[in-house]
Amino acid sequence: MNKALKQFSLIDKNLTIDGTVQCKGRLIINGTLKGKLIGEHVIITKDGAVFADTTATFISIAGKFDGAIRETKEVVILSTGICSGSVQCHSLVLDAGGILNANVECLKKS
């Protein structure tokens, strides 16, 4: 496992952050993030919500995402996830029941 992914940060339930969040490793979002997000492995839980311009290597959405996802390797929208805005990624996975209401651009794998 990548050393950076052994590190993790948590935005817990009932916590709202308004601004820029930049982190290494895994970021688990149970609360709300508004603004800008730069990360590696981002997990938005069923209770989490992100309203941000986002750049990440991987993002998993089980809660709500509204904003722009840029140059991401993989976006996974789980059955409870709702994604709106715009998505720019190399790989997109949409589970049955997941909602995708976004402009999507699939990038050429490098």
Side-chain angles (χ1 to χ4, degrees):
M1 176 181 263
N2 182 339
K3 183 180 177 184
L5 291 182
K6 290 182 182 178
Q7 302 170 347
F8 78 94
S9 301
L10 174 66
I11 297 174
D12 211 354
K13 208 173 191 178
N14 300 320
L15 175 63
T16 298
I17 295 177
D18 193 346
T20 298
V21 172
Q22 184 171 354
C23 68
K24 297 279 186 187
R26 192 172 300 229
L27 173 62
I28 300 169
I29 302 171
N30 282 329
T32 302
L33 172 64
K34 300 175 183 178
K36 185 174 183 179
L37 171 59
I38 302 166
E40 290 179 328
H41 193 104
V42 177
I43 299 168
I44 304 170
T45 68
K46 187 176 178 180
D47 295 324
V50 173
F51 307 93
D53 288 334
T54 303
T55 302
T57 304
F58 171 85
I59 186 166
S60 172
I61 303 168
K64 181 171 181 149
F65 180 91
D66 188 359
I69 299 173
R70 293 179 176 36
E71 297 183 26
T72 300
K73 284 187 181 178
E74 184 175 35
V75 175
V76 176
I77 303 168
L78 300 172
S79 62
T80 56
I82 301 170
C83 180
S84 56
S86 64
V87 175
Q88 187 182 56
C89 63
H90 294 277
S91 177
L92 176 66
V93 177
L94 179 61
D95 281 355
I99 298 171
L100 176 63
N101 290 324
N103 292 321
V104 177
E105 179 183 1
C106 292
L107 303 170
K108 189 178 206 180
K109 291 184 181 184
S110 50

XYZ file of all heavy atoms in Angstrom:
809
model
N 0.846 -1.184 0.000
C 0.000 0.000 0.000
C 0.887 1.241 0.000
O 1.896 1.300 0.677
C -0.908 -0.025 1.228
C -1.761 1.217 1.347
S -2.813 1.218 2.805
C -4.300 0.622 2.049
N 0.467 2.223 -0.737
C 1.161 3.502 -0.798
C 1.235 4.116 0.609
O 0.245 4.188 1.324
C 0.387 4.422 -1.748
C 1.023 5.771 -1.937
O 1.818 6.227 -1.137
N 0.651 6.405 -3.025
N 2.429 4.547 0.998
C 2.639 5.134 2.325
C 1.675 6.285 2.592
O 1.149 6.426 3.696
C 4.078 5.601 2.468
C 4.394 6.149 3.829
C 5.838 6.594 3.911
C 6.111 7.221 5.264
N 7.455 7.755 5.363
N 1.436 7.104 1.582
C 0.545 8.259 1.748
C -0.879 7.831 2.078
O -1.588 8.516 2.798
C 0.561 9.133 0.502
N -1.327 6.671 1.564
C -2.698 6.228 1.817
C -2.863 5.664 3.227
O -3.965 5.470 3.694
C -3.140 5.213 0.766
C -3.332 5.783 -0.633
C -3.821 4.709 -1.586
C -4.284 6.954 -0.652
N -1.756 5.376 3.923
C -1.848 4.947 5.313
C -2.244 6.128 6.197
O -2.764 5.945 7.277
C -0.522 4.356 5.772
C -0.222 3.024 5.127
C 1.073 2.454 5.643
C 1.369 1.142 4.947
N 2.644 0.579 5.387
N -1.986 7.333 5.731
C -2.392 8.535 6.447
C -3.858 8.793 6.131
O -4.307 8.556 5.018
C -1.583 9.739 5.980
C -0.103 9.595 6.145
C 0.641 10.727 5.442
O 0.080 11.459 4.651
N 1.921 10.850 5.746
N -4.605 9.277 7.131
C -5.966 9.654 6.808
C -6.402 10.844 7.647
O -5.885 11.090 8.732
C -6.944 8.482 6.956
C -7.328 8.165 8.370
C -8.466 8.710 8.928
C -6.548 7.318 9.144
C -8.823 8.425 10.230
C -6.902 7.026 10.442
C -8.037 7.576 10.993
N -7.346 11.584 7.089
C -7.935 12.730 7.759
C -9.445 12.542 7.737
O -9.984 11.854 6.878
C -7.560 14.022 7.032
O -6.164 14.170 6.986
N -10.126 13.178 8.686
C -11.558 12.998 8.820
C -12.239 14.341 9.024
O -11.833 15.134 9.873
C -11.853 12.093 10.029
C -13.308 11.888 10.420
C -14.059 11.137 9.328
C -13.381 11.134 11.739
N -13.245 14.586 8.206
C -14.165 15.706 8.442
C -15.424 15.043 8.965
O -16.160 14.401 8.216
C -14.426 16.509 7.153
C -13.126 17.141 6.652
C -15.491 17.577 7.410
C -13.233 17.825 5.315
N -15.622 15.133 10.267
C -16.659 14.353 10.923
C -18.038 14.991 10.804
O -18.166 16.172 10.462
C -16.303 14.147 12.392
C -16.841 12.839 12.944
O -17.589 12.140 12.231
O -16.503 12.502 14.093
N -19.034 14.189 11.120
C -20.417 14.623 11.101
C -20.568 15.869 11.973
O -19.888 16.006 12.974
C -21.286 13.487 11.659
C -22.673 13.434 11.148
C -23.328 12.161 11.655
C -24.630 11.955 10.948
N -25.281 10.735 11.358
N -21.436 16.760 11.604
C -21.692 18.022 12.305
C -20.540 19.013 12.207
O -20.534 20.013 12.918
C -22.043 17.780 13.785
C -23.271 16.928 13.942
O -24.236 17.069 13.204
N -23.234 15.990 14.879
N -19.563 18.748 11.325
C -18.473 19.689 11.091
C -18.605 20.221 9.669
O -18.730 19.440 8.718
C -17.118 19.011 11.254
C -15.881 19.854 10.929
C -15.782 21.051 11.878
C -14.624 19.006 11.011
N -18.609 21.540 9.524
C -18.642 22.178 8.207
C -17.369 22.982 8.038
O -17.011 23.768 8.913
C -19.868 23.110 8.074
O -21.059 22.330 8.192
C -19.873 23.816 6.729
N -16.688 22.771 6.922
C -15.494 23.535 6.594
C -15.795 24.341 5.344
O -16.256 23.792 4.343
C -14.285 22.606 6.357
C -13.933 21.883 7.659
C -13.095 23.410 5.839
C -12.806 20.899 7.541
N -15.535 25.631 5.406
C -15.736 26.525 4.277
C -14.377 27.138 3.942
O -13.849 27.930 4.712
C -16.739 27.621 4.648
C -17.230 28.391 3.441
O -16.618 28.281 2.353
O -18.228 29.118 3.580
N -13.793 26.717 2.806
C -12.470 27.198 2.428
C -11.742 26.166 1.592
O -12.362 25.373 0.900
N -10.420 26.147 1.699
C -9.596 25.220 0.928
C -9.065 24.129 1.833
O -8.518 24.410 2.903
C -8.415 25.960 0.279
O -8.927 26.938 -0.621
C -7.520 25.006 -0.498
N -9.247 22.884 1.410
C -8.696 21.738 2.122
C -7.731 21.048 1.177
O -8.088 20.716 0.041
C -9.795 20.751 2.570
C -9.193 19.475 3.131
C -10.704 21.411 3.594
N -6.507 20.845 1.649
C -5.493 20.137 0.867
C -4.884 19.083 1.781
O -4.442 19.399 2.889
C -4.423 21.107 0.373
C -3.404 20.447 -0.525
C -2.488 21.476 -1.188
O -2.672 22.678 -1.067
N -1.496 20.979 -1.892
N -4.883 17.823 1.311
C -4.356 16.774 2.174
C -3.740 15.647 1.361
O -4.046 15.456 0.191
C -5.436 16.238 3.100
S -6.723 15.328 2.246
N -2.872 14.915 2.034
C -2.257 13.706 1.476
C -2.981 12.506 2.065
O -3.600 12.590 3.116
C -0.774 13.636 1.853
C 0.056 14.765 1.298
C 0.417 14.496 -0.113
C 1.378 15.559 -0.632
N 1.630 15.420 -2.022
N -2.873 11.383 1.401
C -3.474 10.158 1.922
C -4.974 10.122 1.708
O -5.502 10.677 0.745
N -5.656 9.510 2.639
C -7.087 9.281 2.546
C -7.836 10.354 3.339
O -7.485 10.620 4.480
C -7.387 7.906 3.117
C -8.750 7.388 2.854
C -8.842 5.953 3.303
N -7.851 5.180 2.557
C -8.103 4.039 1.939
N -9.280 3.499 2.011
N -7.157 3.409 1.276
N -8.846 10.953 2.733
C -9.704 11.931 3.397
C -11.118 11.370 3.425
O -11.692 11.084 2.373
C -9.690 13.277 2.664
C -10.676 14.335 3.166
C -10.377 14.710 4.619
C -10.655 15.557 2.277
N -11.659 11.201 4.630
C -13.023 10.697 4.796
C -13.896 11.873 5.215
O -13.609 12.554 6.201
C -13.070 9.573 5.850
C -12.172 8.418 5.393
C -14.509 9.101 6.072
C -11.917 7.374 6.434
N -14.964 12.095 4.439
C -15.840 13.237 4.693
C -17.214 12.738 5.145
O -17.977 12.181 4.356
C -15.966 14.126 3.434
C -14.582 14.611 3.002
C -16.915 15.297 3.697
C -14.542 15.310 1.670
N -17.496 12.923 6.445
C -18.816 12.636 7.024
C -19.616 13.915 7.189
O -20.821 13.874 7.358
C -18.681 11.991 8.411
C -18.328 10.532 8.354
O -18.695 9.833 7.428
N -17.599 10.072 9.359
N -18.919 15.050 7.209
C -19.552 16.356 7.397
C -19.743 17.063 6.070
O -20.036 16.432 5.052
N -19.530 18.374 6.069
C -19.744 19.185 4.878
C -18.489 19.994 4.573
O -17.904 20.589 5.476
C -20.934 20.155 5.097
O -22.093 19.380 5.416
C -21.211 20.970 3.851
N -18.128 20.005 3.303
C -16.987 20.782 2.832
C -17.455 21.683 1.701
O -18.080 21.209 0.745
C -15.871 19.860 2.342
C -14.689 20.528 1.646
C -13.948 21.441 2.608
C -13.744 19.489 1.093
N -17.153 22.984 1.820
C -17.497 23.954 0.786
C -16.230 24.698 0.399
O -15.469 25.099 1.270
C -18.515 24.971 1.316
C -19.815 24.376 1.780
C -20.705 25.431 2.393
C -21.981 24.806 2.932
N -22.836 25.807 3.582
N -16.000 24.874 -0.895
C -14.850 25.665 -1.334
C -13.995 24.940 -2.357
O -14.412 24.719 -3.479
N -12.787 24.536 -1.916
C -11.838 23.893 -2.808
C -11.220 22.696 -2.086
O -10.864 22.794 -0.911
C -10.747 24.893 -3.207
C -9.768 24.368 -4.228
C -8.813 25.467 -4.669
C -7.880 24.940 -5.751
N -6.953 25.989 -6.205
N -11.075 21.583 -2.812
C -10.523 20.363 -2.240
C -9.431 19.826 -3.150
O -9.656 19.623 -4.345
C -11.630 19.318 -2.071
C -11.215 17.903 -1.685
C -10.469 17.892 -0.354
C -12.435 17.006 -1.622
N -8.258 19.590 -2.580
C -7.143 18.980 -3.292
C -6.693 17.797 -2.449
O -6.295 17.968 -1.292
C -5.977 19.974 -3.488
C -6.451 21.205 -4.251
C -4.810 19.294 -4.211
C -5.485 22.366 -4.205
N -6.783 16.595 -3.011
C -6.439 15.421 -2.223
C -6.023 14.255 -3.089
O -5.940 14.360 -4.311
N -5.776 13.141 -2.429
C -5.397 11.924 -3.142
C -6.582 10.953 -3.215
O -7.129 10.722 -4.263
C -4.200 11.272 -2.442
C -2.931 12.067 -2.597
C -1.755 11.443 -1.888
O -1.932 10.797 -0.832
O -0.645 11.605 -2.399
N -6.972 10.425 -2.081
C -8.022 9.404 -2.017
C -9.156 9.971 -1.166
O -9.063 9.996 0.056
C -7.434 8.137 -1.386
C -8.286 6.932 -1.543
N -7.990 5.957 -2.443
C -9.418 6.551 -0.928
C -8.909 4.997 -2.361
N -9.783 5.339 -1.447
N -10.214 10.451 -1.813
C -11.309 11.137 -1.123
C -12.525 10.225 -1.061
O -12.954 9.685 -2.080
C -11.674 12.458 -1.842
C -12.858 13.121 -1.176
C -10.470 13.393 -1.879
N -13.063 10.080 0.146
C -14.258 9.259 0.356
C -15.337 10.137 0.976
O -15.161 10.660 2.082
C -13.963 8.063 1.284
C -12.891 7.176 0.653
C -15.243 7.281 1.572
C -12.321 6.139 1.580
N -16.438 10.313 0.248
C -17.588 11.048 0.770
C -18.593 9.996 1.225
O -19.128 9.246 0.410
C -18.212 11.962 -0.310
C -17.168 12.925 -0.872
C -19.402 12.719 0.272
C -17.629 13.685 -2.105
N -18.812 9.924 2.540
C -19.702 8.911 3.080
C -21.168 9.275 2.801
O -21.461 10.374 2.319
C -19.503 8.753 4.599
O -19.965 9.944 5.248
C -18.047 8.478 4.942
N -22.058 8.377 3.163
C -23.490 8.595 2.941
C -23.974 9.882 3.600
O -24.852 10.558 3.088
C -24.271 7.394 3.474
C -25.736 7.414 3.155
C -26.411 6.143 3.629
C -27.893 6.198 3.354
N -28.585 4.994 3.806
N -23.384 10.250 4.742
C -23.774 11.457 5.460
C -22.980 12.691 5.032
O -23.248 13.791 5.499
C -23.583 11.259 6.971
C -24.512 10.202 7.534
O -25.666 10.110 7.057
O -24.087 9.458 8.433
N -21.992 12.507 4.157
C -21.116 13.601 3.755
C -21.651 14.398 2.578
O -22.434 13.899 1.770
N -21.189 15.648 2.487
C -21.573 16.518 1.376
C -20.385 17.405 1.016
O -19.738 17.974 1.907
C -22.777 17.372 1.749
N -20.116 17.502 -0.275
C -19.022 18.342 -0.768
C -19.582 19.267 -1.837
O -20.237 18.810 -2.777
C -17.860 17.495 -1.332
C -16.813 18.373 -1.988
C -17.237 16.648 -0.226
N -19.319 20.553 -1.671
C -19.694 21.584 -2.637
C -18.398 22.310 -2.966
O -18.059 23.305 -2.313
C -20.727 22.541 -2.042
C -21.940 21.844 -1.476
C -21.993 21.485 -0.135
C -22.999 21.524 -2.296
C -23.103 20.827 0.388
C -24.124 20.873 -1.783
C -24.171 20.523 -0.435
N -17.623 21.761 -3.918
C -16.263 22.270 -4.093
C -15.713 21.984 -5.485
O -16.155 21.061 -6.157
C -15.340 21.624 -3.057
N -14.720 22.795 -5.853
C -13.872 22.473 -6.996
C -12.857 21.475 -6.461
O -12.163 21.751 -5.475
C -13.164 23.724 -7.517
C -14.124 24.662 -8.235
O -15.138 24.185 -8.759
O -13.851 25.866 -8.260
N -12.783 20.316 -7.089
C -12.025 19.198 -6.517
C -11.028 18.631 -7.504
O -11.352 18.386 -8.663
C -12.996 18.076 -6.073
O -13.925 18.633 -5.141
C -12.261 16.920 -5.448
N -9.820 18.406 -7.002
C -8.798 17.666 -7.732
C -8.337 16.549 -6.807
O -7.887 16.821 -5.690
C -7.601 18.567 -8.095
O -8.075 19.662 -8.877
C -6.570 17.804 -8.901
N -8.468 15.308 -7.246
C -8.065 14.161 -6.435
C -7.678 13.016 -7.369
O -8.133 12.958 -8.510
C -9.198 13.729 -5.513
N -6.881 12.106 -6.852
C -6.522 10.931 -7.645
C -7.714 9.987 -7.760
O -8.002 9.445 -8.809
C -5.336 10.197 -6.990
O -4.260 11.118 -6.852
C -4.884 9.021 -7.838
N -8.437 9.819 -6.640
C -9.587 8.923 -6.577
C -10.650 9.584 -5.715
O -10.339 10.172 -4.686
C -9.168 7.580 -5.944
C -10.316 6.669 -5.634
C -10.834 5.838 -6.608
C -10.883 6.655 -4.378
C -11.904 4.999 -6.325
C -11.957 5.822 -4.083
C -12.463 4.986 -5.061
N -11.903 9.470 -6.125
C -13.001 9.984 -5.306
C -14.159 8.999 -5.334
O -14.555 8.507 -6.390
C -13.443 11.407 -5.752
C -14.489 11.978 -4.803
C -13.902 11.437 -7.160
C -14.726 13.470 -4.955
N -14.653 8.679 -4.152
C -15.800 7.787 -3.987
C -16.923 8.597 -3.361
O -16.727 9.258 -2.334
C -15.413 6.612 -3.069
O -16.546 5.838 -2.759
N -18.103 8.536 -3.982
C -19.227 9.365 -3.540
C -20.383 8.471 -3.103
O -21.009 7.805 -3.925
C -19.690 10.308 -4.672
C -18.528 11.181 -5.152
C -20.876 11.155 -4.215
C -18.804 11.936 -6.442
N -20.638 8.458 -1.788
C -21.813 7.756 -1.258
C -22.842 8.769 -0.767
O -23.998 8.432 -0.567
C -21.419 6.822 -0.117
N -22.407 10.014 -0.591
C -23.283 11.104 -0.153
C -23.571 12.036 -1.310
O -23.947 11.596 -2.395
N -23.333 13.341 -1.081
C -23.662 14.340 -2.102
C -22.404 15.085 -2.536
O -21.607 15.511 -1.706
C -24.677 15.331 -1.539
C -25.084 16.382 -2.540
C -26.237 17.226 -2.063
C -26.570 18.210 -3.159
N -27.927 18.578 -3.217
N -22.259 15.249 -3.850
C -21.198 16.071 -4.413
C -21.817 17.033 -5.413
O -22.582 16.620 -6.281
C -20.129 15.238 -5.129
C -19.046 16.103 -5.713
C -17.924 16.402 -4.974
C -19.178 16.657 -6.976
C -16.938 17.247 -5.484
C -18.209 17.497 -7.496
C -17.086 17.791 -6.749
N -21.480 18.322 -5.293
C -21.922 19.320 -6.257
C -20.745 20.262 -6.479
O -20.299 20.926 -5.549
C -23.127 20.094 -5.727
C -23.739 21.009 -6.780
O -23.222 21.059 -7.926
O -24.727 21.697 -6.467
N -20.238 20.276 -7.695
C -19.083 21.110 -8.004
C -18.380 20.599 -9.242
O -19.008 20.026 -10.123
N -17.070 20.783 -9.265
C -16.265 20.347 -10.408
C -15.200 19.376 -9.925
O -14.470 19.663 -8.985
C -15.613 21.543 -11.080
N -15.146 18.217 -10.567
C -14.087 17.239 -10.329
C -13.183 17.315 -11.540
O -13.623 17.100 -12.667
C -14.655 15.816 -10.165
C -15.600 15.756 -8.964
C -13.517 14.812 -10.031
C -16.336 14.436 -8.823
N -11.893 17.607 -11.298
C -10.948 17.811 -12.396
C -9.840 16.772 -12.398
O -9.269 16.465 -11.368
C -10.300 19.185 -12.278
C -11.246 20.348 -12.490
C -10.502 21.673 -12.331
N -11.170 22.909 -12.564
C -12.405 23.247 -12.315
N -13.217 22.396 -11.851
N -12.872 24.449 -12.542
N -9.516 16.277 -13.591
C -8.354 15.421 -13.851
C -8.167 14.322 -12.812
O -7.092 14.116 -12.278
C -7.088 16.265 -13.965
C -7.154 17.222 -15.135
C -5.870 18.011 -15.316
O -4.805 17.528 -14.916
O -5.954 19.116 -15.868
N -9.232 13.612 -12.526
C -9.216 12.533 -11.550
C -9.074 11.202 -12.272
O -9.665 10.997 -13.329
C -10.521 12.572 -10.728
O -10.585 13.829 -10.061
C -10.596 11.458 -9.722
N -8.275 10.303 -11.691
C -8.102 8.993 -12.310
C -9.391 8.184 -12.274
O -9.789 7.598 -13.259
C -6.979 8.212 -11.630
C -5.612 8.690 -12.008
C -4.544 7.787 -11.445
C -3.172 8.321 -11.827
N -2.101 7.503 -11.250
N -10.045 8.150 -11.095
C -11.251 7.344 -10.991
C -12.284 8.015 -10.099
O -11.964 8.482 -9.008
C -10.929 5.953 -10.427
C -12.135 5.038 -10.397
C -11.798 3.621 -9.964
O -10.909 3.444 -9.108
O -12.423 2.703 -10.482
N -13.523 8.031 -10.570
C -14.664 8.518 -9.808
C -15.635 7.358 -9.665
O -16.018 6.730 -10.656
C -15.367 9.705 -10.511
C -16.619 10.119 -9.752
C -14.420 10.888 -10.660
N -16.016 7.068 -8.417
C -16.984 6.008 -8.144
C -18.184 6.644 -7.461
O -18.035 7.294 -6.422
C -16.378 4.910 -7.234
C -17.429 3.874 -6.877
C -15.176 4.261 -7.906
N -19.362 6.460 -8.050
C -20.601 6.951 -7.450
C -21.367 5.717 -6.976
O -21.803 4.898 -7.790
C -21.431 7.774 -8.447
C -20.589 8.952 -8.980
C -22.719 8.271 -7.788
C -21.195 9.665 -10.159
N -21.480 5.594 -5.662
C -22.124 4.428 -5.076
C -23.644 4.554 -5.147
O -24.166 5.615 -5.531
C -21.643 4.255 -3.636
C -20.125 4.045 -3.523
C -19.684 4.072 -2.067
C -19.714 2.751 -4.188
N -24.360 3.518 -4.767
C -25.815 3.475 -4.927
C -26.537 4.590 -4.176
O -27.627 4.999 -4.570
C -26.361 2.121 -4.474
O -26.093 1.920 -3.098
N -25.933 5.121 -3.114
C -26.552 6.208 -2.342
C -26.012 7.582 -2.749
O -26.444 8.597 -2.210
C -26.279 6.013 -0.832
O -24.862 5.932 -0.634
C -26.953 4.760 -0.312
N -25.092 7.614 -3.701
C -24.422 8.848 -4.081
C -25.189 9.689 -5.086
O -25.915 9.168 -5.940
N -24.999 11.007 -4.970
C -25.571 11.967 -5.910
C -24.435 12.895 -6.335
O -23.811 13.533 -5.490
C -26.700 12.795 -5.262
C -27.823 11.886 -4.769
C -27.230 13.838 -6.240
C -28.856 12.601 -3.907
N -24.198 12.971 -7.630
C -23.124 13.806 -8.159
C -23.692 14.758 -9.200
O -24.326 14.329 -10.171
C -22.036 12.935 -8.786
S -20.657 13.857 -9.480
N -23.463 16.060 -8.993
C -23.890 17.046 -9.980
C -22.770 18.059 -10.173
O -21.884 18.191 -9.347
C -25.186 17.734 -9.539
O -25.035 18.326 -8.277
N -22.818 18.739 -11.305
C -21.783 19.709 -11.655
C -21.045 19.260 -12.899
O -21.653 19.050 -13.941
N -19.725 19.052 -12.759
C -18.938 18.561 -13.885
C -17.897 17.570 -13.387
O -17.380 17.697 -12.276
C -18.258 19.718 -14.624
O -17.330 20.372 -13.783
N -17.629 16.569 -14.224
C -16.680 15.506 -13.882
C -15.716 15.338 -15.044
O -16.136 15.169 -16.190
C -17.401 14.166 -13.606
C -16.400 13.045 -13.367
C -18.369 14.290 -12.440
N -14.432 15.358 -14.736
C -13.380 15.118 -15.724
C -12.505 14.004 -15.140
O -11.832 14.212 -14.131
C -12.576 16.402 -15.936
C -11.573 16.336 -17.054
C -10.793 17.645 -17.142
O -10.197 18.077 -16.171
N -10.813 18.254 -18.309
N -12.564 12.809 -15.750
C -11.873 11.670 -15.159
C -11.418 10.684 -16.233
O -11.829 10.761 -17.387
C -12.775 10.970 -14.160
S -14.270 10.267 -14.892
N -10.572 9.740 -15.817
C -10.125 8.670 -16.708
C -11.081 7.479 -16.648
O -11.279 6.783 -17.631
C -8.713 8.219 -16.331
C -7.680 9.276 -16.563
N -7.112 9.505 -17.793
C -7.135 10.189 -15.732
C -6.255 10.506 -17.699
N -6.257 10.943 -16.463
N -11.653 7.237 -15.469
C -12.539 6.096 -15.270
C -13.716 6.521 -14.411
O -13.540 7.198 -13.396
C -11.763 4.961 -14.580
O -12.607 3.868 -14.312
N -14.920 6.114 -14.811
C -16.135 6.455 -14.081
C -16.917 5.176 -13.803
O -17.187 4.396 -14.719
C -16.998 7.429 -14.897
C -18.355 7.803 -14.315
C -18.190 8.604 -13.028
C -19.166 8.602 -15.326
N -17.268 4.979 -12.525
C -18.068 3.822 -12.116
C -19.340 4.372 -11.483
O -19.274 5.184 -10.559
C -17.312 2.937 -11.104
C -18.186 1.782 -10.641
C -16.010 2.431 -11.704
N -20.485 3.904 -11.971
C -21.777 4.332 -11.442
C -22.543 3.095 -11.004
O -22.956 2.294 -11.842
C -22.560 5.122 -12.496
C -23.951 5.616 -12.112
C -23.886 6.563 -10.920
C -24.615 6.304 -13.304
N -22.697 2.925 -9.684
C -23.459 1.795 -9.166
C -24.944 2.005 -9.432
O -25.414 3.149 -9.509
C -23.251 1.657 -7.654
C -21.939 0.995 -7.279
O -21.198 0.543 -8.181
O -21.652 0.920 -6.068
N -25.684 0.894 -9.520
C -27.132 0.960 -9.686
C -27.724 1.750 -8.528
O -27.392 1.522 -7.369
C -27.725 -0.442 -9.718
N -28.545 2.740 -8.842
C -29.161 3.589 -7.826
C -28.435 4.906 -7.632
O -29.005 5.858 -7.121
N -27.162 4.967 -8.005
C -26.407 6.217 -7.917
C -26.943 7.220 -8.922
O -27.456 6.842 -9.982
N -26.829 8.501 -8.600
C -27.370 9.542 -9.469
C -26.232 10.410 -9.990
O -25.438 10.935 -9.207
C -28.400 10.408 -8.718
C -29.588 9.533 -8.282
C -28.875 11.577 -9.579
C -30.558 10.235 -7.355
N -26.172 10.558 -11.309
C -25.172 11.394 -11.959
C -25.888 12.422 -12.816
O -26.485 12.086 -13.840
C -24.234 10.540 -12.812
C -23.186 11.280 -13.641
C -22.223 12.040 -12.732
C -22.425 10.298 -14.521
N -25.862 13.674 -12.374
C -26.445 14.796 -13.112
C -25.341 15.811 -13.350
O -25.305 16.875 -12.751
C -27.583 15.452 -12.333
C -28.804 14.576 -12.253
O -29.126 13.863 -13.184
N -29.494 14.610 -11.125
N -24.391 15.434 -14.199
C -23.210 16.266 -14.397
C -22.762 16.204 -15.855
O -23.068 15.245 -16.567
C -22.066 15.778 -13.499
N -22.021 17.231 -16.273
C -21.339 17.164 -17.544
C -20.103 16.293 -17.324
O -19.347 16.532 -16.390
C -20.900 18.563 -17.993
C -22.075 19.437 -18.328
O -23.058 18.992 -18.904
N -21.990 20.685 -17.942
N -19.923 15.272 -18.147
C -18.839 14.315 -17.943
C -17.900 14.341 -19.147
O -18.343 14.295 -20.286
C -19.382 12.882 -17.751
C -18.246 11.883 -17.609
C -20.299 12.824 -16.545
N -16.599 14.409 -18.862
C -15.564 14.310 -19.889
C -14.619 13.175 -19.473
O -13.998 13.247 -18.406
C -14.787 15.613 -20.004
C -13.685 15.540 -21.051
C -12.862 16.820 -21.118
O -13.124 17.757 -20.349
O -11.928 16.853 -21.951
N -14.569 12.141 -20.300
C -13.663 11.027 -20.032
C -12.353 11.297 -20.749
O -12.316 11.494 -21.961
C -14.266 9.712 -20.501
S -15.697 9.232 -19.517
N -11.269 11.331 -19.968
C -9.938 11.653 -20.494
C -9.263 10.391 -20.996
O -9.498 9.292 -20.503
C -9.090 12.294 -19.399
C -9.677 13.551 -18.762
C -8.866 13.953 -17.546
C -9.720 14.674 -19.778
N -8.365 10.575 -21.927
C -7.565 9.473 -22.444
C -6.602 9.011 -21.365
O -5.967 9.819 -20.694
C -6.779 9.959 -23.663
C -6.074 8.904 -24.415
C -5.389 9.530 -25.623
C -5.218 8.516 -26.709
N -4.568 9.100 -27.874
N -6.534 7.695 -21.160
C -5.617 7.151 -20.160
C -4.194 7.344 -20.643
O -3.874 7.124 -21.799
C -5.904 5.679 -19.914
C -7.229 5.470 -19.218
C -7.459 4.035 -18.887
C -8.819 3.870 -18.212
N -9.084 2.539 -17.790
N -3.339 7.776 -19.696
C -1.937 8.008 -20.061
C -1.051 6.893 -19.597
O -1.375 6.053 -18.862
C -1.459 9.321 -19.462
O -1.750 9.396 -18.095
